[in-house]
Amino acid sequence: MPQGSILGPILFNIFINDLLLSINNSELHNFADDNTITCTSESLEDLVRSLEIESNKATEWFKSNNMIVNPEKFQAIIIDRKGQSNNPTKLIIDGKEINSENCVTLLGLEIDSKLSFDKHISKLSNKCAGILNALIRLKRFLGFEEKKILVNSFIYGNFNYCPLVWHFCSKSSRNKIENIQKRALRFLLNDYESDYNTLLQKSDKCTMEIRRIRTLALETFKTINNLNPSFMNNLFNIRKSSNRRENNLEIPRRNTVKFGDNSITCLGPHIWNSLSQNVKSEHSYERFKEFIETWYGPKCNCSLCVSLKETKFIL
């Protein structure tokens, strides 16, 4: 089938569908023709063994279906809570030696072994900064509406790609993102004197952090109301309650910040539970979205929400 056809993806899905049946002791994540195998284990030795076995099963499936496998393009990364994954670990897949890396690129995202996402944010910020430099050189030829379209397409468009994956980045990375928006608003409004808060007010914008929190609120609504893919259903659970706090979500118990508080399954319920009862009871996605687009973050006094409210960017 020619690339871009309607029938092509359907036939491809039918062709590759039984690949998932050959992987039994790990998780296979498929996006178009990109496949990622993930395993968890208490020991590094067991983890490596599982990854090698399952990866070799996948390569055998490709070969038996007359497809070409190139292990030289494989990537491996090991993430552990104790932070001991910096040393390369060797895996043997299809007779080829694959060494784990501290950072890999997956579907356009730079994922590092510490889940700091600093490299991804740095790369993203540098890209947007270069685009802004080019736009600023052309600003005398552009009107407000033209500049608005360009900013939405080339600046916000980049930061709208998988924002909930890298949301839990470091403070310095968050400041980089806010600084990019500050420059973009200066270009848009032709205002190089006002501070960041004034620029936000004049452009009717919120901080990039609140923008991501709004996205999380929308995704939480869609998951609860079965508007998201079924694999997301296990992210949130409605708390059983007979009092006025109906439609609240259970907040999972966590032992660490990086792998506990700093996760969608933990922050999502905090954000959702901070909404008013009438908003949580809304069943129309469009009406819920209208409210969220004018919402400036949670008002509860838990430690997570207080940290969000106290976040200030002096740039």
PDB file of all heavy atoms in Angstrom, residues 49-71:
ATOM      1  N   ARG A  49      18.297 -11.011  32.106  1.00  0.00           N
ATOM      2  CA  ARG A  49      17.880 -12.297  31.563  1.00  0.00           C
ATOM      3  C   ARG A  49      16.500 -12.189  30.910  1.00  0.00           C
ATOM      4  O   ARG A  49      16.289 -12.687  29.793  1.00  0.00           O
ATOM      5  CB  ARG A  49      17.858 -13.351  32.661  1.00  0.00           C
ATOM      6  CG  ARG A  49      17.626 -14.779  32.147  1.00  0.00           C
ATOM      7  CD  ARG A  49      17.581 -15.788  33.287  1.00  0.00           C
ATOM      8  NE  ARG A  49      18.753 -15.689  34.132  1.00  0.00           N
ATOM      9  CZ  ARG A  49      18.727 -15.236  35.386  1.00  0.00           C
ATOM     10  NH1 ARG A  49      17.587 -14.831  35.924  1.00  0.00           N
ATOM     11  NH2 ARG A  49      19.826 -15.179  36.106  1.00  0.00           N
ATOM     12  N   SER A  50      15.564 -11.521  31.591  1.00  0.00           N
ATOM     13  CA  SER A  50      14.210 -11.380  31.049  1.00  0.00           C
ATOM     14  C   SER A  50      14.213 -10.558  29.769  1.00  0.00           C
ATOM     15  O   SER A  50      13.536 -10.905  28.790  1.00  0.00           O
ATOM     16  CB  SER A  50      13.296 -10.729  32.090  1.00  0.00           C
ATOM     17  OG  SER A  50      13.138 -11.551  33.227  1.00  0.00           O
ATOM     18  N   LEU A  51      14.961  -9.461  29.753  1.00  0.00           N
ATOM     19  CA  LEU A  51      15.018  -8.611  28.566  1.00  0.00           C
ATOM     20  C   LEU A  51      15.618  -9.358  27.381  1.00  0.00           C
ATOM     21  O   LEU A  51      15.151  -9.221  26.245  1.00  0.00           O
ATOM     22  CB  LEU A  51      15.820  -7.341  28.862  1.00  0.00           C
ATOM     23  CG  LEU A  51      15.134  -6.274  29.715  1.00  0.00           C
ATOM     24  CD1 LEU A  51      16.118  -5.164  30.076  1.00  0.00           C
ATOM     25  CD2 LEU A  51      13.934  -5.690  28.990  1.00  0.00           C
ATOM     26  N   GLU A  52      16.670 -10.132  27.631  1.00  0.00           N
ATOM     27  CA  GLU A  52      17.300 -10.883  26.547  1.00  0.00           C
ATOM     28  C   GLU A  52      16.344 -11.931  25.984  1.00  0.00           C
ATOM     29  O   GLU A  52      16.207 -12.065  24.759  1.00  0.00           O
ATOM     30  CB  GLU A  52      18.584 -11.540  27.058  1.00  0.00           C
ATOM     31  CG  GLU A  52      19.720 -10.564  27.309  1.00  0.00           C
ATOM     32  CD  GLU A  52      20.969 -11.247  27.818  1.00  0.00           C
ATOM     33  OE1 GLU A  52      20.852 -12.370  28.388  1.00  0.00           O
ATOM     34  OE2 GLU A  52      22.070 -10.686  27.675  1.00  0.00           O
ATOM     35  N   ILE A  53      15.677 -12.670  26.864  1.00  0.00           N
ATOM     36  CA  ILE A  53      14.761 -13.725  26.404  1.00  0.00           C
ATOM     37  C   ILE A  53      13.614 -13.134  25.595  1.00  0.00           C
ATOM     38  O   ILE A  53      13.295 -13.599  24.489  1.00  0.00           O
ATOM     39  CB  ILE A  53      14.217 -14.523  27.609  1.00  0.00           C
ATOM     40  CG1 ILE A  53      15.342 -15.330  28.254  1.00  0.00           C
ATOM     41  CG2 ILE A  53      13.088 -15.445  27.173  1.00  0.00           C
ATOM     42  CD1 ILE A  53      14.936 -16.019  29.551  1.00  0.00           C
ATOM     43  N   GLU A  54      12.980 -12.094  26.122  1.00  0.00           N
ATOM     44  CA  GLU A  54      11.830 -11.509  25.457  1.00  0.00           C
ATOM     45  C   GLU A  54      12.221 -10.797  24.171  1.00  0.00           C
ATOM     46  O   GLU A  54      11.480 -10.844  23.177  1.00  0.00           O
ATOM     47  CB  GLU A  54      11.118 -10.529  26.403  1.00  0.00           C
ATOM     48  CG  GLU A  54      10.584 -11.158  27.684  1.00  0.00           C
ATOM     49  CD  GLU A  54       9.473 -12.146  27.414  1.00  0.00           C
ATOM     50  OE1 GLU A  54       9.786 -13.305  27.069  1.00  0.00           O
ATOM     51  OE2 GLU A  54       8.295 -11.769  27.536  1.00  0.00           O
ATOM     52  N   SER A  55      13.367 -10.130  24.171  1.00  0.00           N
ATOM     53  CA  SER A  55      13.824  -9.443  22.958  1.00  0.00           C
ATOM     54  C   SER A  55      14.162 -10.443  21.859  1.00  0.00           C
ATOM     55  O   SER A  55      13.878 -10.209  20.677  1.00  0.00           O
ATOM     56  CB  SER A  55      15.045  -8.573  23.265  1.00  0.00           C
ATOM     57  OG  SER A  55      14.715  -7.551  24.190  1.00  0.00           O
ATOM     58  N   ASN A  56      14.759 -11.560  22.241  1.00  0.00           N
ATOM     59  CA  ASN A  56      15.068 -12.589  21.246  1.00  0.00           C
ATOM     60  C   ASN A  56      13.797 -13.228  20.701  1.00  0.00           C
ATOM     61  O   ASN A  56      13.733 -13.602  19.527  1.00  0.00           O
ATOM     62  CB  ASN A  56      15.989 -13.652  21.860  1.00  0.00           C
ATOM     63  CG  ASN A  56      17.441 -13.196  21.922  1.00  0.00           C
ATOM     64  OD1 ASN A  56      17.984 -12.699  20.935  1.00  0.00           O
ATOM     65  ND2 ASN A  56      18.055 -13.318  23.080  1.00  0.00           N
ATOM     66  N   LYS A  57      12.762 -13.353  21.533  1.00  0.00           N
ATOM     67  CA  LYS A  57      11.469 -13.839  21.043  1.00  0.00           C
ATOM     68  C   LYS A  57      10.920 -12.890  19.979  1.00  0.00           C
ATOM     69  O   LYS A  57      10.392 -13.329  18.947  1.00  0.00           O
ATOM     70  CB  LYS A  57      10.477 -13.949  22.191  1.00  0.00           C
ATOM     71  CG  LYS A  57      10.675 -15.121  23.122  1.00  0.00           C
ATOM     72  CD  LYS A  57       9.581 -15.120  24.186  1.00  0.00           C
ATOM     73  CE  LYS A  57       9.758 -16.271  25.167  1.00  0.00           C
ATOM     74  NZ  LYS A  57       8.700 -16.230  26.221  1.00  0.00           N
ATOM     75  N   ALA A  58      11.045 -11.585  20.244  1.00  0.00           N
ATOM     76  CA  ALA A  58      10.537 -10.595  19.298  1.00  0.00           C
ATOM     77  C   ALA A  58      11.301 -10.646  17.977  1.00  0.00           C
ATOM     78  O   ALA A  58      10.704 -10.602  16.892  1.00  0.00           O
ATOM     79  CB  ALA A  58      10.620  -9.195  19.907  1.00  0.00           C
ATOM     80  N   THR A  59      12.635 -10.769  18.054  1.00  0.00           N
ATOM     81  CA  THR A  59      13.418 -10.821  16.814  1.00  0.00           C
ATOM     82  C   THR A  59      13.100 -12.085  16.019  1.00  0.00           C
ATOM     83  O   THR A  59      13.081 -12.061  14.782  1.00  0.00           O
ATOM     84  CB  THR A  59      14.927 -10.765  17.125  1.00  0.00           C
ATOM     85  OG1 THR A  59      15.274 -11.836  18.012  1.00  0.00           O
ATOM     86  CG2 THR A  59      15.299  -9.440  17.769  1.00  0.00           C
ATOM     87  N   GLU A  60      12.838 -13.196  16.714  1.00  0.00           N
ATOM     88  CA  GLU A  60      12.461 -14.435  16.020  1.00  0.00           C
ATOM     89  C   GLU A  60      11.119 -14.269  15.317  1.00  0.00           C
ATOM     90  O   GLU A  60      10.915 -14.782  14.220  1.00  0.00           O
ATOM     91  CB  GLU A  60      12.401 -15.599  17.011  1.00  0.00           C
ATOM     92  CG  GLU A  60      13.765 -16.108  17.450  1.00  0.00           C
ATOM     93  CD  GLU A  60      14.592 -16.589  16.272  1.00  0.00           C
ATOM     94  OE1 GLU A  60      14.030 -17.259  15.381  1.00  0.00           O
ATOM     95  OE2 GLU A  60      15.803 -16.279  16.238  1.00  0.00           O
ATOM     96  N   TRP A  61      10.195 -13.535  15.952  1.00  0.00           N
ATOM     97  CA  TRP A  61       8.891 -13.294  15.324  1.00  0.00           C
ATOM     98  C   TRP A  61       9.075 -12.500  14.036  1.00  0.00           C
ATOM     99  O   TRP A  61       8.471 -12.816  13.008  1.00  0.00           O
ATOM    100  CB  TRP A  61       7.979 -12.529  16.275  1.00  0.00           C
ATOM    101  CG  TRP A  61       6.610 -12.285  15.708  1.00  0.00           C
ATOM    102  CD1 TRP A  61       5.496 -13.048  15.857  1.00  0.00           C
ATOM    103  CD2 TRP A  61       6.215 -11.176  14.864  1.00  0.00           C
ATOM    104  NE1 TRP A  61       4.441 -12.515  15.167  1.00  0.00           N
ATOM    105  CE2 TRP A  61       4.847 -11.360  14.542  1.00  0.00           C
ATOM    106  CE3 TRP A  61       6.879 -10.070  14.355  1.00  0.00           C
ATOM    107  CZ2 TRP A  61       4.143 -10.476  13.744  1.00  0.00           C
ATOM    108  CZ3 TRP A  61       6.184  -9.181  13.549  1.00  0.00           C
ATOM    109  CH2 TRP A  61       4.821  -9.385  13.251  1.00  0.00           C
ATOM    110  N   PHE A  62       9.922 -11.473  14.085  1.00  0.00           N
ATOM    111  CA  PHE A  62      10.146 -10.655  12.889  1.00  0.00           C
ATOM    112  C   PHE A  62      10.768 -11.495  11.777  1.00  0.00           C
ATOM    113  O   PHE A  62      10.380 -11.386  10.613  1.00  0.00           O
ATOM    114  CB  PHE A  62      11.044  -9.460  13.232  1.00  0.00           C
ATOM    115  CG  PHE A  62      10.311  -8.327  13.879  1.00  0.00           C
ATOM    116  CD1 PHE A  62      10.367  -8.132  15.261  1.00  0.00           C
ATOM    117  CD2 PHE A  62       9.544  -7.449  13.133  1.00  0.00           C
ATOM    118  CE1 PHE A  62       9.686  -7.093  15.860  1.00  0.00           C
ATOM    119  CE2 PHE A  62       8.862  -6.396  13.726  1.00  0.00           C
ATOM    120  CZ  PHE A  62       8.931  -6.219  15.102  1.00  0.00           C
ATOM    121  N   LYS A  63      11.735 -12.315  12.117  1.00  0.00           N
ATOM    122  CA  LYS A  63      12.390 -13.132  11.100  1.00  0.00           C
ATOM    123  C   LYS A  63      11.418 -14.137  10.490  1.00  0.00           C
ATOM    124  O   LYS A  63      11.420 -14.353   9.270  1.00  0.00           O
ATOM    125  CB  LYS A  63      13.583 -13.859  11.719  1.00  0.00           C
ATOM    126  CG  LYS A  63      14.752 -12.944  12.046  1.00  0.00           C
ATOM    127  CD  LYS A  63      15.895 -13.739  12.667  1.00  0.00           C
ATOM    128  CE  LYS A  63      17.078 -12.837  12.989  1.00  0.00           C
ATOM    129  NZ  LYS A  63      18.189 -13.591  13.617  1.00  0.00           N
ATOM    130  N   SER A  64      10.576 -14.774  11.322  1.00  0.00           N
ATOM    131  CA  SER A  64       9.634 -15.763  10.811  1.00  0.00           C
ATOM    132  C   SER A  64       8.553 -15.127   9.947  1.00  0.00           C
ATOM    133  O   SER A  64       7.885 -15.811   9.178  1.00  0.00           O
ATOM    134  CB  SER A  64       8.988 -16.524  11.969  1.00  0.00           C
ATOM    135  OG  SER A  64       8.209 -15.650  12.771  1.00  0.00           O
ATOM    136  N   ASN A  65       8.390 -13.808  10.070  1.00  0.00           N
ATOM    137  CA  ASN A  65       7.418 -13.083   9.244  1.00  0.00           C
ATOM    138  C   ASN A  65       8.100 -12.291   8.129  1.00  0.00           C
ATOM    139  O   ASN A  65       7.533 -11.324   7.599  1.00  0.00           O
ATOM    140  CB  ASN A  65       6.589 -12.138  10.118  1.00  0.00           C
ATOM    141  CG  ASN A  65       5.531 -12.876  10.920  1.00  0.00           C
ATOM    142  OD1 ASN A  65       4.427 -13.121  10.441  1.00  0.00           O
ATOM    143  ND2 ASN A  65       5.881 -13.246  12.144  1.00  0.00           N
ATOM    144  N   ASN A  66       9.339 -12.726   7.807  1.00  0.00           N
ATOM    145  CA  ASN A  66      10.091 -12.153   6.677  1.00  0.00           C
ATOM    146  C   ASN A  66      10.322 -10.652   6.809  1.00  0.00           C
ATOM    147  O   ASN A  66      10.262  -9.909   5.835  1.00  0.00           O
ATOM    148  CB  ASN A  66       9.359 -12.450   5.359  1.00  0.00           C
ATOM    149  CG  ASN A  66       9.237 -13.931   5.089  1.00  0.00           C
ATOM    150  OD1 ASN A  66      10.197 -14.685   5.270  1.00  0.00           O
ATOM    151  ND2 ASN A  66       8.053 -14.368   4.673  1.00  0.00           N
ATOM    152  N   MET A  67      10.582 -10.207   8.046  1.00  0.00           N
ATOM    153  CA  MET A  67      10.920  -8.804   8.285  1.00  0.00           C
ATOM    154  C   MET A  67      12.367  -8.706   8.738  1.00  0.00           C
ATOM    155  O   MET A  67      12.919  -9.646   9.329  1.00  0.00           O
ATOM    156  CB  MET A  67       9.983  -8.187   9.334  1.00  0.00           C
ATOM    157  CG  MET A  67       8.518  -8.215   8.933  1.00  0.00           C
ATOM    158  SD  MET A  67       7.456  -7.419  10.136  1.00  0.00           S
ATOM    159  CE  MET A  67       7.816  -5.700   9.810  1.00  0.00           C
ATOM    160  N   ILE A  68      12.985  -7.578   8.463  1.00  0.00           N
ATOM    161  CA  ILE A  68      14.408  -7.389   8.769  1.00  0.00           C
ATOM    162  C   ILE A  68      14.564  -6.752  10.146  1.00  0.00           C
ATOM    163  O   ILE A  68      13.908  -5.768  10.472  1.00  0.00           O
ATOM    164  CB  ILE A  68      15.075  -6.504   7.700  1.00  0.00           C
ATOM    165  CG1 ILE A  68      14.985  -7.181   6.324  1.00  0.00           C
ATOM    166  CG2 ILE A  68      16.533  -6.222   8.067  1.00  0.00           C
ATOM    167  CD1 ILE A  68      15.500  -6.307   5.186  1.00  0.00           C
ATOM    168  N   VAL A  69      15.450  -7.326  10.956  1.00  0.00           N
ATOM    169  CA  VAL A  69      15.748  -6.798  12.288  1.00  0.00           C
ATOM    170  C   VAL A  69      17.175  -6.270  12.280  1.00  0.00           C
ATOM    171  O   VAL A  69      18.084  -6.925  11.778  1.00  0.00           O
ATOM    172  CB  VAL A  69      15.592  -7.892  13.364  1.00  0.00           C
ATOM    173  CG1 VAL A  69      15.970  -7.339  14.728  1.00  0.00           C
ATOM    174  CG2 VAL A  69      14.167  -8.415  13.381  1.00  0.00           C
ATOM    175  N   ASN A  70      17.373  -5.075  12.825  1.00  0.00           N
ATOM    176  CA  ASN A  70      18.699  -4.479  12.883  1.00  0.00           C
ATOM    177  C   ASN A  70      19.044  -4.170  14.341  1.00  0.00           C
ATOM    178  O   ASN A  70      18.776  -3.070  14.832  1.00  0.00           O
ATOM    179  CB  ASN A  70      18.754  -3.205  12.038  1.00  0.00           C
ATOM    180  CG  ASN A  70      20.155  -2.628  11.949  1.00  0.00           C
ATOM    181  OD1 ASN A  70      21.109  -3.205  12.497  1.00  0.00           O
ATOM    182  ND2 ASN A  70      20.298  -1.501  11.281  1.00  0.00           N
ATOM    183  N   PRO A  71      19.646  -5.117  15.083  1.00  0.00           N
ATOM    184  CA  PRO A  71      19.968  -4.916  16.497  1.00  0.00           C
ATOM    185  C   PRO A  71      20.904  -3.730  16.747  1.00  0.00           C
ATOM    186  O   PRO A  71      20.958  -3.217  17.867  1.00  0.00           O
ATOM    187  CB  PRO A  71      20.638  -6.236  16.905  1.00  0.00           C
ATOM    188  CG  PRO A  71      20.141  -7.230  15.911  1.00  0.00           C
ATOM    189  CD  PRO A  71      19.993  -6.466  14.630  1.00  0.00           C
TER     190      PRO A  71
END
